[in-house]
Amino acid sequence: NPGNDNEDGNKEEEEEEEDMSKFIIGYKKDDTEAGGKKADEEEEDEVDYSMFILGGGSNDEDEKNKLNPEDFMAKNKEGAVIVRKPGEIQGQSFTIDSLKNCTVALFDQSAQVQIDDCKGCKFFIGPCEGSVFVRNCEGCNFVVSCNQFRTRECDRCSILIHCAQGQPIIESSSELSFGPFDGAYKEIHAQLKSAGMRAWDTEWTNVHDFTPPKAGEGPNWQFVPSGTTAESLLGTSLQKLCDSITPESKPVVPRSWGRRYFDEERSELCFVVLGGNDPESLGHTLMESKSDDAKLIRSRVREMTQAEVQNLWGNAEGNELSGTVSQGTVIGAEFLVPKGSSGELIAKVLQDSPSAVSSSHGSARKLATEFFGALKAMNG
């Protein structure tokens, strides 16, 4: 079996495969199955394991192409360390259920991850092409990169999140803390690409709460302290968890400050558009060269037509947006900069590059609303 399951963990109990439909929020199973068969009859439906065959349900019976379902789940363990190395998940789904005081680290791309009924656990989840569903978990720490993230009936959990499609969703949960994803290793570059995710999709603070607090109650979520890292949540470094990953000294997913409160007497906003043949490399150059006083709030990757580019410039009055960007893939990024600087430090770094920088706090707020608002409308 791949991975690094700690032999000290409790022996996993044998049990039948669960109906994965229970992970769909709001799903309620009928009392009877199709055709009138009772759900609790002794006769059980045959489990379809085709999802564990390379190629997704292929008729190829070659044993080399078959995967063992046991390698894609972690259940009923206590005090275990469970690791999947790069190449060991191969884009399959992964199920985690009924763990206590365990550490789980998935350093490979997955289709979706289900996490149920865990207490006091620590999780690192590498790029997940679909959704990471977390239900009935208590006192857990998560470092997660995914397209969608949802919790239901979770309490006292801390989450460092890269949610590429934006807006993490929580439901019937309390005392959650969110912060920016922190997890760099060289293999994650290819994993993000394979999962159809962009490192610069960093907007994570627009958390949607399906069950908002009642009048007089505090919020169900807050920000983690600004210095929180993956190592502080996991209790160890990524390299110590898995010596098969290749160290990466620079952040792959830029750490964003988020839309937190800021003192407008001391700081102001700056909006930046990055273009050219490789806007992500340009963005990393900016992050490495900018002053520590300039903090990334949020960013999004967007494909823009020439008409959309012209429309963005058309909504900028006078010299509110200086620079030139052509159609194609662009990154829109909102920064927090020292009051009165008007993004001059950022503009200096981006000089002579395919980019544009707002000229004032007012223009930055206006242009960011236009850019991120258009993306929200496109995504429904």
Side-chain angles (χ1 to χ4, degrees):
N1 290 346
N4 196 19
D5 295 6
N6 190 340
E7 295 299 331
D8 293 335
N10 287 350
K11 184 177 181 180
E12 187 172 345
E13 299 178 2
E14 294 184 359
E15 55 183 39
E16 297 296 332
E17 185 70 12
E18 294 180 279
D19 181 357
M20 298 308 291
S21 60
K22 74 173 187 175
F23 293 103
I24 302 176
I25 294 178
Y27 177 88
K28 293 182 179 180
K29 190 169 184 177
D30 293 334
D31 291 333
T32 60
E33 303 286 349
K37 189 176 74 173
K38 294 290 185 180
D40 58 357
E41 283 183 1
E42 293 183 2
E43 181 183 355
E44 297 178 350
D45 292 332
E46 183 180 354
V47 178
D48 179 10
Y49 287 106
S50 62
M51 66 179 289
F52 297 105
I53 301 176
L54 288 174
S58 169
N59 292 325
D60 186 358
E61 294 298 327
D62 187 349
E63 293 296 329
K64 294 181 180 179
N65 291 336
K66 288 189 177 181
L67 304 175
N68 182 2
E70 297 295 325
D71 294 335
F72 303 93
M73 59 183 68
K75 295 185 177 183
N76 305 312
K77 292 179 180 290
E78 182 173 354
V81 177
I82 302 156
V83 177
R84 294 295 181 266
K85 303 174 184 178
E88 290 187 337
I89 300 178
Q90 304 180 49
Q92 301 294 316
S93 297
F94 202 95
T95 302
I96 299 168
D97 195 359
S98 301
L99 303 185
K100 185 177 181 181
N101 299 326
C102 292
T103 296
V104 179
L106 309 182
F107 290 101
D108 200 11
Q109 177 210 343
S110 58
Q112 65 178 5
V113 178
Q114 320 280 2
I115 305 175
D116 226 20
D117 297 310
C118 295
K119 293 184 178 180
C121 294
K122 301 170 183 177
F123 299 94
F124 179 87
I125 310 295
C128 177
E129 184 176 0
S131 297
V132 173
F133 285 95
V134 183
R135 302 196 332 159
N136 300 103
C137 289
E138 201 177 301
C140 294
N141 293 337
F142 298 86
V143 182
V144 180
S145 175
C146 59
N147 265 317
Q148 296 180 334
F149 182 82
R150 299 182 180 183
T151 73
R152 186 178 183 185
E153 297 178 340
C154 293
D155 297 293
R156 296 182 292 106
C157 294
S158 296
I159 303 144
L160 298 183
I161 185 75
H162 170 224
C163 193
Q165 292 188 3
Q167 199 163 36
I169 295 172
I170 65 176
E171 181 180 3
S172 302
S173 299
S174 62
E175 296 186 63
L176 302 185
S177 300
F178 282 90
F181 178 78
D182 176 36
Y185 54 99
K186 289 194 180 296
E187 292 81 1
I188 201 173
H189 292 277
Q191 292 168 5
L192 287 167
K193 183 177 181 180
S194 181
M197 299 166 61
R198 299 292 189 102
W200 277 81
D201 283 331
T202 67
E203 187 175 19
W204 54 268
T205 54
N206 54 343
V207 177
H208 180 71
D209 190 349
F210 269 121
T211 50
K214 298 177 181 178
E217 296 180 343
N220 290 322
W221 76 276
Q222 61 183 356
F223 294 105
V224 299
S226 59
T228 304
T229 64
E231 185 167 346
S232 65
L233 287 192
L234 299 175
T236 188
S237 67
L238 300 186
Q239 278 67 41
K240 288 182 179 179
L241 275 175
C242 179
D243 58 11
S244 296
I245 61 174
T246 308
E248 174 67 88
S249 59
K250 301 175 183 178
V252 178
V253 177
R255 302 206 75 194
S256 55
W257 177 255
R259 303 180 71 184
R260 308 174 188 234
Y261 167 81
F262 67 92
D263 185 356
E264 294 195 20
E265 295 297 320
R266 303 179 61 185
S267 304
E268 63 184 22
L269 298 176
C270 175
F271 180 70
V272 178
V273 183
L274 306 172
N277 295 328
D278 192 354
E280 290 197 6
S281 292
L282 183 58
H284 286 300
T285 298
L286 172 59
M287 294 296 288
E288 293 167 14
S289 305
K290 70 175 180 58
S291 165
D292 290 339
D293 293 332
K295 294 181 173 64
L296 175 66
I297 296 177
R298 56 176 173 166
S299 61
R300 278 288 182 191
V301 182
R302 180 178 170 187
E303 298 294 330
M304 298 187 72
T305 65
Q306 190 61 41
E308 289 170 333
V309 171
Q310 292 173 349
N311 185 56
L312 183 63
W313 260 252
N315 288 331
E317 299 176 2
N319 62 349
E320 287 184 337
L321 189 63
S322 59
T324 302
V325 175
S326 302
Q327 66 179 19
T329 303
V330 303
I331 295 173
E334 191 174 25
F335 283 85
L336 190 65
V337 297
K339 184 76 172 181
S341 68
S342 300
E344 293 175 0
L345 297 176
I346 290 178
K348 184 177 181 180
V349 172
L350 296 174
Q351 188 174 8
D352 300 325
S353 66
S355 61
V357 182
S358 61
S359 60
S360 68
H361 173 79
S363 63
R365 187 182 296 276
K366 176 181 174 182
L367 292 165
T369 299
E370 163 70 17
F371 184 87
F372 292 103
L375 276 173
K376 184 177 180 181
M378 289 163 57
N379 293 331

